[in-house]
Amino acid sequence: QLRTCCRVLQSCRVSRFQHAATMIQFDEHGFRRRVEEAVVTLQKLLHSTRRPTFAEDVPNHSYQDKYLLAEFLTNCGLAAQCTCLEALGVGTQQLATLVEWSASETVTLRLAGRQRCTFLREEEREVESKAKVVKESTIFGKSEQKVVTRVNEWFWKIDVEWELVAYAGTMGGPRQLRLQGRSGSAQLKTTTSATPEPAGQVEFIPTEVPITWLLQQVKLPGGLVGAAHVLSFKIDRDAEGCRTPRRNPQVEAALHAARELCAWSKRVCQFMNQRIFSKAERCAKVQAHTGRDGFLALIASTHQPSELFVPVLPLFEARPAEEEADAAGGDGDGGDGDGTLVSVTAAAAEAASTPVLRIGDINAMLAEQRRALEAKWATLADACPPADDGSLLSPVELKLSIAVKHLDDCCSQLSQGVDYIEAMLKKQLLDAVGRLVTPADFQRYMDFHGQRLFKPEYAPKPFCFAVRRPDHYPEGTLTIEHLSPDRSRGAIHTSGAIHTICRRVAEPVAPMSFALDAATRVSFTGERFVHAYLAHQFGDPPSPPPSPPPPNWRSPPAPCTSSGASVLMLGARARQFSSFMLLLGRMGPAGTFELKHALILQNKDAVDIPLMLEALPSATEFRDAISSLSPEQQRFAKAYRAMQLEGSVFGILVIQLKPQLEALLKLPHDALTKEIALTQQLLDLFIQYQIPSDLLTYAGPAAASPEEKLEAVRGHVAAIYKMVEAAKEGELHAARQEAMMEQPFHEYAESFGDTSAGFSLFQCGDASAMSASPPDSPPRRNARSIQRTASSASAAPPPRHSAVQMPVAACAAGAAPPGCGPPPPPGASFPAPTAKATPAPIAGPAEAKANDDDFDTADDVASELDYTKIPSTLDAKLLTAEGGAAIRPTTIKVGETWTKRSQKALLGKPKEEALHTEEQQREKQAAFDLLDALSCSGALPIACCSLHVVVAATHAFDQSLLDTVIQQNVNPIEKLERSSLLVATTIHDAPAGRLLRDEVRERVARFAAPELLGGDAAAAGEGAVADLP
């Protein structure tokens, strides 16, 4: 039973060791409970009128008082650690020696030991059984017998020796001081001949801890021999790394030393438990002195939570004004600390008006700690065998175990105390704001703040644009929105359009081009915008495992996983009876657009495309990473980074279809604005049937009226539809003939009866022909005659193919051309456009090509800006700017799964579908077919379009939003103000002072970006910045 109890205590000790390894984690509930218990003891030491309380409960204290509180806690913690060292054998003389050594060398505490197992003897004894065997005899009467068992026992002697030393430099050198040590033995008995411990002498693995930093804080005032050592820990508020009372080099060094002492004390307790306590349970001398219950109580006293007083308390005391003059004193002794090894001097509290406890109170608490330890030692001396009787367990071992456990408590209390100051700051900030500010809240604030930081013409604007021509109703909208995935609920939310630093490129612009295939390039002009999106990323702590995401959700790339800035959503929506084309890609060199995706949107179509943000290393990180590489390796890294930067420029091209159709068909301006059915039929012929545009283009006199031109095009469309239907009917007739030849006549008649499937096919062909043919159309003729009619009516060169082919299966299923109704009859009336002045004739393909050549040689056309150089220009600026190391170039990648919503008919139900790679490729091919027709295979440039060039960057914070403000003492608003100015000056090519509002320029120059606004005061009144070329 005793062995079982010891094993339970040992497991508890190990679990406490594992739990204490996370002492950095602030346990507010446990910390408050320990402080409240200690305050009860403290009240007995102070005057009855004094009421110290938690620091947060004292109102109207200043931020500097928190620095004083951190110094107060650290001084108390260091003094308490020195008291524990005194219990380990460091007296006044030894402390003076160790302090002298620490001035030039590293001082280390080392616990080492050894063990020897020796065989003593083997004994044999008889053990009688408790059972008796009774035999009865008529001659001899009753007789009793007992079973006797012979038992062999082996006796072993376990000698354990340990010592605690302090040495300077390396072990074995001349500077070595033995603090304490002891040797003892125990006799063990086994029932087998196997040794209970390894035979011979075994050296235990020593456990060490450096105490140099702690000793360097101890000083001897005036160099007087015999005077008490003092502590005067101070925080250098002007040091470069000093951010908060908790985050500064001095406190960090104190906590690092405390963590090392904590880990060492746990190893010492584990050593004593495994090497001594577990063997002493069978020691006859101990059990004879204390009994089993007493032994169990002694061992448990080294494992249970300590009841010793820990003088590390984060307390404030509200003092009346008349008591401030006496603040340097206290109820305790302000001198040598009442016999303690060290004391705290008045230099630890400079201002007498602070609410921090007085110096005399600190020394009084240290005296109480020393008194409680001495009382504990006296209790152990009465409960254990004397130390000189040679037993394995004595008061020395118990004192060592309890002293290092108390050292662990003091170090942990110091860490918890300074963490309490930080928790108090967080609570005060949340009370001031009224809620926990999330990255999404901060994003909304920065969108709001940008409008009040920059002048209206330079302020970031929402990325939301209407697809429209001047003086026309919008064809649709284009937006990029923040995407906030709620993994816990399996939902995705958009939180409004992103705000970008936007600049419109001055017109006229040089033509750019993109490739449809290896032989076809399409040039375009139109309006152009340059956008700079500055995202922010906070290092949020890990969240609990989320629930399964939605089926169409794709997780963002690993480099950006927080703050709501890692995923954006590109949304494009077309209005009813409207259409446009959306092209996505990257900007290439020499005025090229590298097209990757294309999509046609019409008649209330809407598409949502996720955009993934992948941050690259910042310019400073890249420079530091390649600094030690060879010249060849550096050139390779620089070339690859240049490729990454050039490839990070994202492009969005929106092409309006109606103006391009008018230019292609040589129709007047706005001729197709009200021709909804005709526009739909033209798109259908180009997309589904790939009809050459020459068959539909107006080829009559240029002086004809707009109505005549439109009527001619309408006639061409009707003729083409007749040709298409004739081709369909010919294919169906051939299919029926083939079916009749493969089957007997009677089976064919039965299969094509009124109720047969074959007759349905026949009817389907007629029905589709009737539905697609205009009413009052002439009787159908063969395909050749229809082709001749269409050719003569269009007065254009004949097409390359004699007939338009359509799959028979589509006709058999009764499929009509998608989104296209029957063409109107040639003589039907159409609403004519309103009377207006006839616009200038639009250049045909040949003339457009000539004009295209003029663009390359004209002197009055501005050269096009190389958009691929914007990231490298910004990268070079960030490399030299203060705070630029936190800004990372960001690549925008199109997500793999899109979501498209469409409505096939006016009264139809909306349909939502996911577009994967195969569907996206199909949409891209349809768009390319239309582009090939609209541009005459690259001969006709596209003028009515809009190009949006997007350059992204990410300001990365190392910690979460709250920790950035509290722990780093950094205002993220000011950091993002500087980053925004760096990006805006690059995009607008203007000094920072010219971009800011007058009322905020002084504040930004003082706090956010003094290096950017040093010489901008005069520049603020200069003329407007010239547009980009």
Side-chain angles (χ1 to χ4, degrees), residues 301-346:
S301 65
T302 64
H303 300 283
Q304 294 174 352
S306 176
E307 298 180 356
L308 297 175
F309 180 76
V310 179
V312 185
L313 306 175
L315 303 178
F316 275 172
E317 184 181 13
R319 301 190 185 97
E322 57 270 12
E323 295 185 10
E324 293 182 356
D326 194 35
D331 293 340
D333 187 5
D336 60 358
D338 194 17
T340 56
L341 185 64
V342 296
S343 61
V344 181
T345 63

Side-chain angles (χ1 to χ4, degrees), residues 809-831:
C811 295
C820 177
S829 60
F830 289 84

Side-chain angles (χ1 to χ4, degrees), residues 192 606 733 815:
T192 63
H733 181 71

Side-chain angles (χ1 to χ4, degrees), residues 675-682 685 710-711 713-722 771-777 820-831:
E675 297 294 334
I676 299 174
L678 180 59
T679 303
Q680 194 69 38
Q681 293 164 7
L682 288 169
L685 292 176
L710 195 60
E711 189 64 28
V713 172
R714 189 179 295 115
H716 300 334
V717 171
I720 292 296
Y721 264 106
K722 291 179 182 179
S771 62
S773 298
D776 302 330
S777 60
C820 177
S829 60
F830 289 84

Side-chain angles (χ1 to χ4, degrees), residues 42-281:
L42 180 61
Q43 289 286 355
K44 301 176 182 178
L45 305 177
L46 304 179
H47 194 275
S48 59
T49 59
R50 300 182 59 184
R51 293 291 183 271
T53 183
F54 282 97
E56 62 183 282
D57 297 332
V58 176
N60 301 327
H61 67 268
S62 65
Y63 186 69
Q64 292 300 321
D65 291 336
K66 293 182 172 64
Y67 274 99
L68 295 176
L69 179 60
E71 294 172 348
F72 169 83
L73 291 174
T74 308
N75 278 293
C76 291
L78 297 180
Q81 295 171 22
C82 291
T83 303
C84 295
L85 292 181
E86 182 181 10
L88 298 179
V90 180
T92 303
Q93 296 294 335
Q94 291 85 347
L95 181 60
T97 302
L98 296 178
V99 170
E100 180 183 356
W101 291 352
S102 66
S104 58
E105 294 184 89
T106 300
V107 180
T108 307
L109 280 182
R110 173 189 174 97
L111 177 65
R114 61 196 60 86
Q115 170 185 290
R116 177 182 293 275
C117 180
T118 307
F119 174 71
L120 295 179
R121 64 187 183 278
E122 179 184 0
E123 294 183 357
E124 181 179 333
R125 60 188 179 91
E126 295 181 351
V127 179
E128 294 183 354
S129 175
K130 296 181 179 180
K132 297 179 180 181
V133 179
V134 179
K135 294 184 178 180
E136 294 185 358
S137 175
T138 56
I139 300 176
F140 301 101
K142 291 183 179 182
S143 64
E144 296 181 356
Q145 295 180 350
K146 289 185 178 181
V147 179
V148 178
T149 304
R150 292 182 179 180
V151 178
N152 292 332
E153 296 177 337
W154 287 262
F155 290 86
W156 311 83
K157 181 182 180 183
I158 306 297
D159 296 302
V160 178
E161 180 183 358
W162 60 269
E163 66 175 353
L164 179 65
V165 299
Y167 66 91
T170 59
M171 185 62 186
R175 292 187 173 185
Q176 183 172 331
L177 184 63
R178 186 177 187 274
L179 301 180
Q180 60 174 314
R182 188 176 176 275
S183 60
S185 62
Q187 183 174 312
L188 302 181
K189 179 176 61 176
T190 62
T191 57
T192 63
S193 60
T195 60
E197 298 289 338
Q201 181 169 316
V202 178
E203 295 286 340
F204 298 144
I205 299 177
T207 174
E208 299 181 346
V209 60
I211 57 172
T212 308
W213 186 88
L214 173 61
L215 296 173
Q216 290 175 350
Q217 311 308 309
V218 180
K219 297 190 173 41
L220 184 63
L224 300 177
V225 179
H229 295 81
V230 297
L231 289 167
S232 183
F233 174 84
K234 292 286 295 179
I235 298 176
D236 186 2
R237 294 156 174 79
D238 298 328
E240 181 180 357
C242 182
R243 300 183 180 276
T244 67
R246 166 63 178 84
R247 309 288 169 172
N248 56 80
Q250 290 74 35
V251 171
E252 292 290 352
L255 293 181
H256 177 72
R259 283 192 291 269
E260 291 184 331
L261 285 174
C262 276
W264 179 77
S265 64
K266 293 174 178 59
R267 294 194 300 269
V268 171
C269 288
Q270 191 175 18
F271 172 90
M272 301 301 293
N273 185 67
Q274 295 177 353
R275 305 301 181 186
I276 297 179
F277 297 159
S278 61
K279 300 178 178 63
E281 61 173 297

Side-chain angles (χ1 to χ4, degrees), residues 609-924:
I609 304 174
L611 302 178
M612 310 299 181
L613 302 186
E614 182 177 344
L616 304 176
S618 66
T620 304
E621 292 172 341
F622 177 77
R623 180 196 60 191
D624 297 341
I626 68 172
S627 60
S628 59
L629 298 180
S630 67
E632 293 77 10
Q633 295 168 346
Q634 289 186 6
R635 290 196 298 270
F636 170 78
K638 291 178 180 178
Y640 194 83
R641 181 172 177 83
M643 182 271 296
Q644 288 179 315
L645 293 178
E646 290 188 6
S648 65
V649 185
F650 188 67
I652 305 172
L653 180 61
V654 180
I655 299 177
Q656 300 188 43
L657 301 182
K658 288 183 181 179
Q660 190 65 20
L661 281 173
E662 295 168 353
L664 174 67
L665 302 177
K666 299 182 181 180
L667 294 176
H669 180 65
D670 280 349
L672 295 177
T673 300
K674 298 182 180 180
E675 297 294 334
I676 299 174
L678 180 59
T679 303
Q680 194 69 38
Q681 293 164 7
L682 288 169
L683 294 177
D684 179 63
L685 292 176
F686 286 139
I687 297 173
Q688 185 170 358
Y689 301 109
Q690 290 86 45
I691 299 297
S693 60
D694 294 340
L695 299 181
L696 302 173
T697 304
Y698 172 73
S705 65
E707 291 79 5
E708 293 176 348
K709 294 181 179 181
L710 195 60
E711 189 64 28
V713 172
R714 189 179 295 115
H716 300 334
V717 171
I720 292 296
Y721 264 106
K722 291 179 182 179
M723 181 185 65
V724 170
E725 294 307 326
K728 291 180 181 179
E729 184 178 353
E731 292 179 4
L732 290 175
H733 181 71
R736 289 195 296 269
Q737 292 290 341
E738 183 179 354
M740 293 174 62
M741 294 176 63
E742 291 178 355
Q743 298 181 9
F745 180 78
H746 64 278
E747 295 181 0
Y748 176 80
E750 292 177 358
S751 62
F752 282 84
D754 294 340
T755 59
S756 65
F759 189 69
S760 298
L761 177 63
F762 183 81
Q763 288 180 335
C764 174
D766 291 343
S768 61
M770 292 176 61
S771 62
S773 298
D776 302 330
S777 60
R780 296 186 179 87
R781 292 167 289 180
N782 55 36
R784 295 180 180 270
S785 62
I786 292 180
Q787 180 183 354
R788 288 195 297 269
T789 303
S791 301
S792 61
S794 60
R800 297 180 181 178
H801 305 287
S802 60
V804 180
Q805 302 295 324
M806 181 176 182
V808 178
C811 295
C820 177
S829 60
F830 289 84
T834 56
K836 62 173 73 174
T838 303
I842 299 177
E847 297 175 5
K849 186 64 179 177
N851 293 339
D852 217 5
D853 297 336
D854 294 340
F855 268 113
D856 297 335
T857 58
D859 296 333
D860 57 343
V861 178
S863 61
E864 178 65 17
L865 175 69
D866 191 352
Y867 300 107
T868 60
K869 299 300 182 183
I870 296 178
S872 58
T873 303
L874 179 61
D875 209 45
K877 182 177 294 187
L878 295 177
L879 187 60
T880 58
E882 180 182 355
I887 305 177
R888 299 176 179 175
T890 302
T891 301
I892 302 178
K893 294 185 176 181
V894 178
E896 298 180 3
T897 303
W898 305 355
T899 302
K900 182 180 180 181
R901 295 178 297 276
S902 58
Q903 186 172 344
K904 294 300 182 182
L906 289 175
L907 302 180
K909 292 183 179 180
K911 176 185 176 182
E912 181 173 321
E913 59 178 336
L915 301 183
H916 301 284
T917 304
E918 183 178 353
E919 292 82 1
Q920 295 172 20
Q921 187 64 29
R922 187 166 57 247
E923 296 283 351
K924 178 181 177 180

Side-chain angles (χ1 to χ4, degrees), residues 492-507:
I492 303 175
H493 307 284
T494 56
S495 54
I498 66 172
H499 282 63
T500 61
I501 299 172
C502 178
R503 186 171 187 179
R504 181 169 182 171
V505 181
E507 297 180 359

